[in-house]
Amino acid sequence: MTANRILAREGVVDSFGHVSIRHPDRPDRYLLSRARAPECIEAGDVMEFMDDGAPVDAAGRTPYAERFIHGAVYAARPDVQAVVHHHSPSVVVFSVSAAQLSPVMHMCAGIGTRIPTWDSRARFGDTNLLVTNLAMATDLAAALGQRPVILMRGHGCVVAGMSLREVVFNSIYLQLNADLQIKASALGDVTFLTDGEVAAVLRTRSAFTFERAWEYWCRRAGRPYDGRPMEGPLAGTT
Amino acid sequence: MTANRILAREGVVDSFGHVSIRHPDRPDRYLLSRARAPECIEAGDVMEFMDDGAPVDAAGRTPYAERFIHGAVYAARPDVQAVVHHHSPSVVVFSVSAAQLSPVMHMCAGIGTRIPTWDSRARFGDTNLLVTNLAMATDLAAALGQRPVILMRGHGCVVAGMSLREVVFNSIYLQLNADLQIKASALGDVTFLTDGEVAAVLRTRSAFTFERAWEYWCRRAGRPYDGRPMEGPLAGTT
Amino acid sequence: MTANRILAREGVVDSFGHVSIRHPDRPDRYLLSRARAPECIEAGDVMEFMDDGAPVDAAGRTPYAERFIHGAVYAARPDVQAVVHHHSPSVVVFSVSAAQLSPVMHMCAGIGTRIPTWDSRARFGDTNLLVTNLAMATDLAAALGQRPVILMRGHGCVVAGMSLREVVFNSIYLQLNADLQIKASALGDVTFLTDGEVAAVLRTRSAFTFERAWEYWCRRAGRPYDGRPMEGPLAGTT
Amino acid sequence: MTANRILAREGVVDSFGHVSIRHPDRPDRYLLSRARAPECIEAGDVMEFMDDGAPVDAAGRTPYAERFIHGAVYAARPDVQAVVHHHSPSVVVFSVSAAQLSPVMHMCAGIGTRIPTWDSRARFGDTNLLVTNLAMATDLAAALGQRPVILMRGHGCVVAGMSLREVVFNSIYLQLNADLQIKASALGDVTFLTDGEVAAVLRTRSAFTFERAWEYWCRRAGRPYDGRPMEGPLAGTT
């Protein structure tokens, strides 16, 4: 619920977009809301799915038609614990442009470099662009590969990570990086982070960075902050 | 009232712009507020009009001078049940540019492709640009034809659809598409949805999509959501 | 107070900028707040000034250093009843660019066409750009001439009109026009309103248009709307 | 606390960024919050540091990893009483562009002219870009020299000044100037303030200007305004 409310508050999702976590005890399952706008989601909306998209117990609730994205990523990436699919406007802009999104700022290094765009049309032709079956979702997950982010042409993106805090963090800073790059491109050539810099940020980033942001976003979204004890080294804090 | 408040909250209308529905029992009539800013409209402001713009019972209320737009569209398009006229800033931008607005994202497919611009000056010369009589409104409705949207040069646009939820949805995503296209154009060439993709979205879109957005927009606008049961197939949900 | 709060709410003024009215009984005087951010102004802050900028009874209150602008405009323009000086960001952009601001949309016709920019440096050399004496203010008022708006290079603008509602209306739509023109220019050539169209808008605009907007802006600014009866013909409403 | 909340409210800082003041009695020390988002900071979070970054009494609180920036500036600049480090998005844009940030508007003159960018890579190679030791901080402070502002490539900036009110004011108007310059550049050539104009603004600026803005920003941030009596000449008020 909190992740959904934060993404809504920060403008990453509107009526659409969704966030899931892998089931803590059953790695072949994941938890995801029923089909509802993120801002409106309540505890009773959270459903459990098999990784092929079948609901464990729908109890009359309508699932997201695009839930297959989540299952395909969890199946392909054992390291991934959380997934966001969203349509952040600034990110969509890069999905319909030849300009390549890449980090321009240290806080955005977690999005990966030279982010590719998956085009549903390449393999599936003229569709409604929705990833509503396992074939499309598997193709998308393959294009994602070991990356944290992939764009979807004329649609949005997928963000995959090790925790809910990480995918929310990377979703928000992905949106910021897109904003920055649009503005900087209008001024002329853009200096991107080097691959060595991106690697250095990822190597030194700690859970504490995600915690600090999480506390802030909880406050903005009007959600209680659960004050989880800080984990990991502090070297990557700013 | 809810449609007006939503459009105000989402920045589609300011002090100006209006939304109507065809009268449920008398198809030659429509319901539209008296002349008032959408954010301020109350139940007692809703008036009934003949399709030539004559109020059925004004009861001292001042009508919108541009109400003729609504009647002309209802007369020309028996399929249309709701009409919005608005001045969304991003949409006005395309009305004064040779750049052609067209969907770049699946959620925006409902606005139609290669949206034309009606220029009041072509036939009526130098006016105050307002559509304040049936001759101008009929010309505008003819230019709209079977489309869901037409731009009006230096003025705004008309959005026509099958339900209040649809015209509000398409108004908001028309604005988003304009924003996206402005930003993407600044980066270089833009990849639009193909005609086949737009057709596929329209073919598979369900009322459920509009409902999900409506619940969200009601919450943002501080309006109760009436929880209407979902209708239609679910294939087009995201 | 209400005009100040509206301009703050709509982003036209921040900590700076001010709005005055000509004294209703003494045409050689005007009413203007003491030096305070518009959002913070209270009834006791309103001071009375001679048109040379001398306070009638300062009562310990510090006046705006740039109050001279107001007096010089009232002295040069007997028709003017209200003046705003503001630094709306989008308007300042045109003050430092060779691109010429001109109406692209009917609601913005009241700002005048091909708006010129007054440059304090032309006559007064390197200053802090503030209009803090009658010589500068008189030069500025002369450049304004019979126009409703003049830009001030690297500084802001002056908006002069027949009523408080008109100058607030034109200030807000001046800002909107600047936003629209910036975006449209990025897409290519811009189609401006013709001189005939601007004239037609001004000829048909009624006080009712200002009233409708005023009610809306009062609501957004959290100010009571005084429900003044509508005046004038309705032809210019939208 | 108030400075932090203001910077958060005005969008200059998000979860990251920090503001310090020199210790009023011990000029070799400074006061800075523990590592927390500015919007969330409470009185008990404020820590005291030696100018080499060592906490005087951490009491279990985690300091900002980049606190070294503050100490290095205080050591190099005896005149400086307050320092902000922030990542305002519009400012970061200029840090990754060859376009040079310089004042276009009188309120922004305090940021200095032709603001340079410090690139951590020039001397320290591929890092995570964070200034987490005294060597980097000292290099950055040397690049700042006698200026009020320096940008940091792919990261943010440092703003140094004579008071908390001044660094907050210059941080917010730095952000505004960046916004203005991005928009004006899109329209064509930009007219900057002359060096003589910038000097005139700085020569005539009074503490009253900062006070007026502080009262406004306190109100927006929901913080009490302490109503400190106005200081200094009034010539620079607007």
Side-chain angles (χ1 to χ4, degrees):
Chain A
M1 278 177 68
T2 298
N4 276 289
R5 300 291 176 88
I6 287 173
L7 292 171
R9 172 67 182 79
E10 303 303 325
V12 173
V13 296
D14 56 359
S15 304
F16 305 99
H18 19 90
V19 51
S20 69
I21 50 169
R22 193 189 286 272
H23 194 292
D25 303 319
R26 297 280 307 256
D28 59 336
R29 296 184 178 183
Y30 59 94
L31 304 172
L32 177 69
S33 170
R34 72 175 172 106
R36 200 173 187 190
E39 178 66 26
C40 304
I41 290 171
E42 292 158 17
D45 293 328
V46 179
M47 299 173 68
E48 190 176 329
F49 294 94
M50 306 300 293
D51 62 12
D52 67 357
V56 173
D57 177 13
R61 295 168 296 181
T62 305
Y64 291 119
E66 292 198 302
R67 63 191 177 280
F68 301 96
I69 296 171
H70 300 264
V73 173
Y74 290 124
R77 289 275 299 273
D79 58 318
V80 166
Q81 303 302 320
V83 172
V84 183
H85 166 57
H86 67 76
H87 310 163
S88 160
S90 299
V91 176
V92 171
V93 164
F94 283 89
S95 84
V96 297
S97 172
Q100 192 163 55
L101 193 60
S102 208
V104 296
M105 184 191 181
H106 64 327
M107 303 310 297
C108 306
I111 64 175
T113 53
R114 291 175 289 276
I115 303 175
T117 297
W118 175 78
D119 189 339
S120 56
R121 203 160 173 261
R123 196 139 173 185
F124 302 94
D126 280 345
T127 66
N128 64 5
L129 287 95
L130 299 177
V131 178
T132 52
N133 59 58
L134 213 48
M136 290 179 82
T138 302
D139 193 58
L140 171 60
L144 173 67
Q146 296 306 308
R147 298 180 154 277
V149 176
I150 193 161
L151 307 190
M152 302 160 74
R153 195 264 307 163
H155 183 159
C157 67
V158 175
V159 180
M162 306 306 116
S163 70
L164 207 51
R165 279 155 163 78
E166 181 182 340
V167 290
V168 168
F169 188 97
N170 283 346
S171 291
I172 293 171
Y173 282 103
L174 173 66
Q175 175 173 267
L176 178 64
N177 199 83
D179 284 337
L180 294 174
Q181 198 173 328
I182 291 169
K183 288 181 179 171
S185 298
L187 291 175
D189 287 341
V190 180
T191 305
F192 294 93
L193 294 195
T194 67
D195 289 351
E197 288 175 330
V198 170
V201 172
L202 296 180
R203 204 167 48 235
T204 59
R205 176 158 287 175
S206 72
F208 183 76
T209 296
F210 300 143
E211 274 312 298
R212 204 206 301 180
W214 193 261
E215 182 191 19
Y216 172 61
W217 289 322
C218 282
R219 178 165 309 209
R220 280 166 62 92
R223 298 287 302 167
Y225 171 62
D226 56 13
R228 205 171 67 155
M230 302 302 160
E231 313 153 8
L234 299 177
T237 65
T238 66
Chain B
M1 279 177 67
T2 298
N4 277 287
R5 299 291 176 88
I6 287 173
L7 292 171
R9 173 66 181 81
E10 303 305 323
V12 173
V13 297
D14 58 357
S15 304
F16 304 100
H18 19 90
V19 51
S20 70
I21 50 170
R22 192 188 288 271
H23 193 292
D25 303 318
R26 298 278 308 255
D28 59 335
R29 297 185 177 182
Y30 58 95
L31 303 172
L32 177 68
S33 171
R34 72 176 173 105
R36 201 173 188 191
E39 178 66 25
C40 303
I41 289 170
E42 292 157 18
D45 293 328
V46 179
M47 299 173 67
E48 190 175 328
F49 294 94
M50 307 298 294
D51 62 11
D52 67 356
V56 172
D57 177 12
R61 296 169 295 182
T62 305
Y64 291 119
E66 292 197 301
R67 63 192 176 280
F68 301 96
I69 295 171
H70 301 264
V73 172
Y74 290 123
R77 290 275 299 273
D79 59 319
V80 166
Q81 303 301 321
V83 172
V84 183
H85 167 56
H86 67 77
H87 310 162
S88 160
S90 298
V91 176
V92 171
V93 163
F94 283 88
S95 84
V96 297
S97 172
Q100 193 165 54
L101 193 59
S102 208
V104 295
M105 184 191 179
H106 64 326
M107 303 310 297
C108 306
I111 64 176
T113 52
R114 292 174 289 275
I115 303 175
T117 297
W118 175 78
D119 188 340
S120 56
R121 204 160 172 261
R123 195 138 173 187
F124 301 93
D126 281 344
T127 65
N128 64 5
L129 287 95
L130 299 177
V131 178
T132 52
N133 58 58
L134 212 48
M136 291 179 83
T138 302
D139 192 59
L140 170 60
L144 173 66
Q146 297 306 308
R147 296 180 155 278
V149 176
I150 193 160
L151 306 190
M152 303 161 74
R153 197 264 305 162
H155 183 159
C157 67
V158 175
V159 179
M162 306 307 116
S163 70
L164 207 49
R165 278 156 165 77
E166 182 183 339
V167 291
V168 168
F169 188 97
N170 283 346
S171 291
I172 292 171
Y173 282 103
L174 173 65
Q175 174 172 267
L176 177 65
N177 199 82
D179 283 337
L180 294 174
Q181 199 173 328
I182 291 169
K183 287 180 182 172
S185 297
L187 291 175
D189 287 341
V190 179
T191 304
F192 295 93
L193 295 195
T194 66
D195 289 351
E197 287 175 329
V198 170
V201 172
L202 295 179
R203 203 166 50 235
T204 59
R205 176 158 289 175
S206 72
F208 184 76
T209 297
F210 300 144
E211 275 311 299
R212 202 205 303 179
W214 192 261
E215 183 191 18
Y216 171 61
W217 289 322
C218 282
R219 178 165 309 209
R220 280 166 63 92
R223 297 287 302 168
Y225 171 62
D226 55 14
R228 205 171 67 155
M230 302 301 160
E231 312 154 9
L234 299 177
T237 64
T238 66
Chain C
M1 279 177 67
T2 298
N4 277 289
R5 299 292 176 88
I6 287 173
L7 291 171
R9 174 65 182 81
E10 303 304 325
V12 173
V13 298
D14 56 358
S15 305
F16 305 99
H18 21 88
V19 50
S20 71
I21 50 170
R22 193 187 286 272
H23 193 291
D25 302 318
R26 298 280 307 257
D28 59 335
R29 297 185 179 183
Y30 58 94
L31 304 172
L32 177 69
S33 170
R34 71 176 173 104
R36 201 173 188 191
E39 178 65 26
C40 303
I41 290 171
E42 293 158 17
D45 292 328
V46 179
M47 299 173 67
E48 190 175 329
F49 294 94
M50 308 298 295
D51 62 11
D52 66 357
V56 173
D57 178 13
R61 296 169 295 182
T62 305
Y64 291 118
E66 292 197 301
R67 64 191 176 280
F68 301 96
I69 296 172
H70 300 265
V73 172
Y74 290 122
R77 290 275 300 273
D79 59 318
V80 166
Q81 302 301 321
V83 172
V84 183
H85 166 57
H86 68 77
H87 309 162
S88 159
S90 299
V91 176
V92 170
V93 163
F94 283 89
S95 85
V96 297
S97 172
Q100 193 164 56
L101 194 59
S102 207
V104 295
M105 183 190 180
H106 65 326
M107 304 309 298
C108 306
I111 65 175
T113 53
R114 292 174 289 276
I115 303 175
T117 297
W118 175 78
D119 188 340
S120 57
R121 202 158 173 263
R123 195 140 174 185
F124 302 93
D126 281 344
T127 65
N128 64 6
L129 287 94
L130 299 177
V131 179
T132 51
N133 59 59
L134 213 48
M136 290 180 83
T138 303
D139 193 59
L140 170 61
L144 173 66
Q146 296 306 309
R147 296 179 155 277
V149 176
I150 192 160
L151 306 190
M152 303 161 73
R153 196 265 305 162
H155 183 161
C157 67
V158 175
V159 180
M162 307 307 116
S163 71
L164 207 51
R165 278 155 165 77
E166 181 183 340
V167 291
V168 167
F169 188 98
N170 283 345
S171 291
I172 292 170
Y173 282 103
L174 173 65
Q175 175 172 268
L176 178 64
N177 200 82
D179 283 336
L180 294 174
Q181 199 174 327
I182 291 169
K183 288 181 181 171
S185 298
L187 291 176
D189 287 342
V190 180
T191 305
F192 295 94
L193 295 195
T194 67
D195 288 351
E197 288 176 329
V198 170
V201 172
L202 296 179
R203 202 165 51 236
T204 59
R205 175 158 290 176
S206 73
F208 184 76
T209 297
F210 300 143
E211 274 312 298
R212 202 204 304 181
W214 193 261
E215 183 192 19
Y216 171 61
W217 289 323
C218 283
R219 177 164 309 207
R220 280 166 60 93
R223 297 287 303 168
Y225 170 63
D226 56 14
R228 206 171 65 154
M230 302 301 161
E231 311 153 10
L234 299 177
T237 64
T238 65
Chain D
M1 278 177 68
T2 299
N4 276 288
R5 299 290 176 89
I6 288 173
L7 292 171
R9 173 66 181 80
E10 303 303 325
V12 173
V13 296
D14 56 359
S15 304
F16 304 100
H18 19 90
V19 51
S20 70
I21 51 170
R22 194 188 285 272
H23 194 291
D25 303 318
R26 298 281 306 258
D28 59 335
R29 297 185 177 182
Y30 59 94
L31 303 172
L32 176 69
S33 169
R34 71 175 173 103
R36 202 174 187 190
E39 178 66 26
C40 304
I41 289 171
E42 293 158 17
D45 293 328
V46 179
M47 299 173 68
E48 190 175 329
F49 294 95
M50 307 299 294
D51 62 12
D52 66 357
V56 173
D57 178 13
R61 295 169 296 181
T62 304
Y64 290 119
E66 292 198 301
R67 63 191 177 280
F68 301 97
I69 296 171
H70 300 264
V73 172
Y74 290 123
R77 288 276 300 273
D79 59 318
V80 166
Q81 302 302 320
V83 172
V84 182
H85 166 57
H86 68 77
H87 310 162
S88 160
S90 298
V91 176
V92 170
V93 164
F94 283 89
S95 84
V96 297
S97 171
Q100 194 165 56
L101 194 59
S102 208
V104 295
M105 183 192 181
H106 64 326
M107 304 309 298
C108 307
I111 65 175
T113 53
R114 291 174 289 274
I115 303 175
T117 297
W118 175 77
D119 189 339
S120 56
R121 202 159 174 263
R123 194 140 173 184
F124 301 94
D126 281 343
T127 66
N128 65 5
L129 287 95
L130 299 178
V131 179
T132 51
N133 59 57
L134 213 48
M136 290 179 83
T138 303
D139 192 59
L140 171 60
L144 173 66
Q146 296 306 306
R147 296 178 156 278
V149 176
I150 192 161
L151 307 190
M152 302 161 74
R153 195 263 308 161
H155 183 160
C157 67
V158 175
V159 179
M162 306 306 118
S163 70
L164 207 50
R165 278 155 165 76
E166 182 183 339
V167 291
V168 167
F169 188 97
N170 283 345
S171 291
I172 292 170
Y173 281 103
L174 173 64
Q175 176 172 268
L176 178 64
N177 200 83
D179 283 337
L180 294 174
Q181 198 173 327
I182 291 168
K183 288 181 181 171
S185 298
L187 291 175
D189 287 342
V190 180
T191 305
F192 294 93
L193 294 195
T194 67
D195 289 351
E197 288 176 328
V198 170
V201 172
L202 296 179
R203 203 166 51 235
T204 59
R205 175 158 289 177
S206 73
F208 184 76
T209 297
F210 300 143
E211 275 311 298
R212 203 206 301 180
W214 193 261
E215 183 192 18
Y216 172 61
W217 288 322
C218 283
R219 178 165 310 208
R220 280 166 60 92
R223 298 287 302 167
Y225 171 62
D226 56 13
R228 205 171 67 154
M230 303 301 161
E231 311 152 10
L234 299 177
T237 65
T238 65

